[in-house]
Amino acid sequence: MPKPDSVYFFGTCLIDLVMPLAGLAAMRLLQREGIEVIYPQGQTCCGQPAYNSGYDAEARAVARCQLDALSRDIPVVVPSASCAGMLKVQYPKLFAGTPDQARAERLAARVYELTDFLARVLDWRPVDRGEPLKVVLHHSCSARREMGVAEAATDLLSRLAHLETVEPDHAHECCGFGGTFAVKQPEISAAMAADKADALAATGAQVLVSQDCGCLLNLGGTLARRFPDAGPRVQHIAELLWERTHES
């Protein structure tokens, strides 16, 4: 796809409520490339919590807000592989056989996860203005298996000249968040997060980055409890990319 003049930005609930600076960084990365970023005020949650819990009618009611808010035929950029997967992969299933099926399929075809959009559509080639830094990258299950965009994030970080990216042991395993899984199975989730945190800390990285806020919240809390003075700090990948490449 050629570089577009404008895109929709789908902010996601966790960006809005917990990591707003990541959303601002993501929009700035796009705007710096000369792209108009449109943030429709009518957007809401993607509907994933209801959908994953089996409440399809309630999920459709929420998802329909996105069909209305993101209706123009321009790309939709999402700073979350999980929410992007809901819009791109699950909406066509959710609306199959309903009057909104065609609208859901048209929207799905225009959805891009942020790092995939930067790497593949824009062929982003930044100048790294930061000091040498060791980073460990955690890919969410959605990035690896649902959206298939894990390599895009790895590729982007490799383009930063002063960055060393390391991979932890058991990198392909889930962090234990899994949306409602962490609520429904807290003991199993906590054990998975503890194993993951130990592997991340063992890399000696200064920063943990990911495409998904849910994973960062789960792992960040676990790291803070297990390694209060020595674990890596946690940052959304959009913040890291902006922090290292903008001119102050």
Side-chain angles (χ1 to χ4, degrees), residues 1-11 27 30 35-40 43 66 69-79 84 87-88 105-114 116-118 120-122 147:
M1 185 183 78
K3 175 183 171 182
D5 295 326
S6 59
V7 299
Y8 282 129
F9 189 80
F10 185 71
M27 288 191 282
L30 297 168
I35 296 174
E36 179 190 14
V37 178
I38 301 170
Y39 188 97
Q43 65 178 278
Q66 278 54 257
L70 308 171
S71 60
R72 285 176 53 188
D73 186 22
I74 58 176
V76 179
V77 180
V78 187
L87 270 64
K88 190 173 188 68
E105 291 172 348
R106 287 196 295 272
L107 171 60
R110 295 184 282 112
V111 170
Y112 294 84
E113 184 273 333
L114 173 69
D116 183 45
F117 188 80
L118 290 172
R120 190 161 55 88
V121 178
L122 301 186
M147 288 292 289

Side-chain angles (χ1 to χ4, degrees), residues 44-246:
T44 66
C45 170
C46 66
Q48 191 172 173
Y51 183 60
N52 288 350
S53 299
Y55 295 100
D56 286 7
E58 290 81 356
R60 272 191 291 273
V62 175
R64 201 167 282 115
C65 295
Q66 278 54 257
L67 299 185
D68 295 336
L70 308 171
S71 60
R72 285 176 53 188
D73 186 22
I74 58 176
V76 179
V77 180
V78 187
S80 159
S82 176
C83 299
M86 182 65 190
L87 270 64
K88 190 173 188 68
V89 179
Q90 305 304 332
Y91 272 21
K93 301 176 185 174
L94 182 63
F95 286 102
T98 76
D100 290 313
Q101 179 177 350
R103 285 209 299 162
E105 291 172 348
R106 287 196 295 272
L107 171 60
R110 295 184 282 112
V111 170
Y112 294 84
E113 184 273 333
L114 173 69
T115 63
D116 183 45
F117 188 80
L118 290 172
R120 190 161 55 88
V121 178
L122 301 186
D123 192 21
W124 192 64
R125 298 288 172 180
V127 175
D128 188 354
R129 304 179 189 281
E131 298 294 323
L133 187 71
K134 189 175 182 179
V135 172
V136 61
L137 175 59
H138 169 72
H139 300 297
S140 69
C141 297
S142 297
R144 284 189 184 278
R145 291 178 267 278
E146 187 176 36
M147 288 292 289
V149 296
E151 291 306 314
T154 303
D155 183 20
L156 281 184
L157 294 184
S158 74
R159 300 180 191 185
L160 295 172
H162 306 147
L163 212 65
E164 178 189 0
T165 305
V166 294
E167 185 172 86
D169 289 341
H170 311 293
H172 290 257
E173 295 178 3
C174 173
C175 73
F177 180 65
T180 54
F181 174 79
V183 177
K184 294 176 178 176
Q185 303 288 345
E187 292 83 7
I188 298 174
S189 172
M192 294 170 70
D195 289 346
K196 199 78 179 179
D198 290 353
L200 293 167
T203 65
Q206 297 153 280
V207 181
L208 161 66
V209 296
S210 176
Q211 293 140 292
D212 279 272
C213 293
C215 301
L216 289 175
L217 288 174
N218 195 33
L219 293 173
T222 306
L223 283 165
R225 288 192 295 276
R226 296 178 73 82
F227 307 99
D229 301 316
R233 65 183 173 91
V234 170
Q235 195 171 36
H236 190 280
I237 192 169
E239 283 188 87
L240 179 78
L241 295 177
W242 175 254
E243 182 180 282
R244 297 190 65 86
T245 60
H246 83 282

